[in-house]
Amino acid sequence: MGDGVALADRMAERRAGVGDPGALVGELRRALVLVPYDRGGLWTAEFGGIRWVCGFTDEAALARFAEERAAVEGTGDASQGWEYATFRGARLLDEVIPAMGVPAGVAVNVADPDGAMLFPPVVGIVPDGAAVDADVPNGGQQR
């Protein structure tokens, strides 16, 4: 059963240019991912024409995000507990992302500039019906 630490370790490997991309996606699918609530829904952000669900590998990573948001918003108080849902990564990728109805992916640990990772809506990460490259031969990959 995957955990956030194993996912964070796989992300660090890929950021260092080693590790298997398929193993990384597999680890995300097994991991429990914390997703904070924002105005009654899951916390998302738009970037590059993609809606990103913001997920975190553990409460410490979520707390860093809360601190950053408090600084940006000028509230200066990140000590208030943030409500969040815990999802198995597979559920995020296979159910939540397709249900959004727009191109969407998962952004993990976005408050950690040296530890963040984006899982875009492409073949091999999300179901083909939600992948932006599903109609491209070979999923847009060169052979």
Side-chain angles (χ1 to χ4, degrees):
M1 190 177 274
D3 63 34
V5 173
L7 175 58
D9 289 346
R10 292 267 187 214
M11 289 170 31
E13 289 173 358
R14 287 304 302 149
R15 290 179 63 86
V18 297
D20 175 30
L24 173 61
V25 173
E27 197 61 55
L28 172 61
R29 296 184 70 74
R30 287 184 295 278
L32 292 176
V33 180
L34 312 180
V35 180
Y37 289 113
D38 179 38
R39 296 178 217 110
L42 298 178
W43 192 289
T44 63
E46 177 122 5
F47 180 75
I50 305 291
R51 176 64 52 188
W52 298 95
V53 174
C54 297
F56 301 89
T57 54
D58 56 30
E59 288 183 343
L62 176 57
R64 288 188 294 276
F65 177 72
E67 290 171 10
E68 183 177 290
R69 295 304 313 158
V72 167
E73 294 170 1
T75 62
D77 184 13
S79 63
Q80 296 177 350
W82 278 41
E83 289 188 44
Y84 61 87
T86 303
F87 291 91
R88 181 76 55 202
R91 184 169 177 219
L92 272 177
L93 297 173
D94 296 343
E95 297 175 25
V96 174
I97 295 299
M100 295 179 75
V102 298
V106 179
V108 179
N109 291 353
V110 294
D112 298 338
D114 295 327
M117 180 79 48
L118 299 177
F119 294 85
V122 296
V123 170
I125 296 179
V126 300
D128 289 356
V132 296
D133 64 341
D135 58 348
V136 177
N138 300 323
Q141 297 177 357
Q142 303 263 337
R143 288 209 183 242

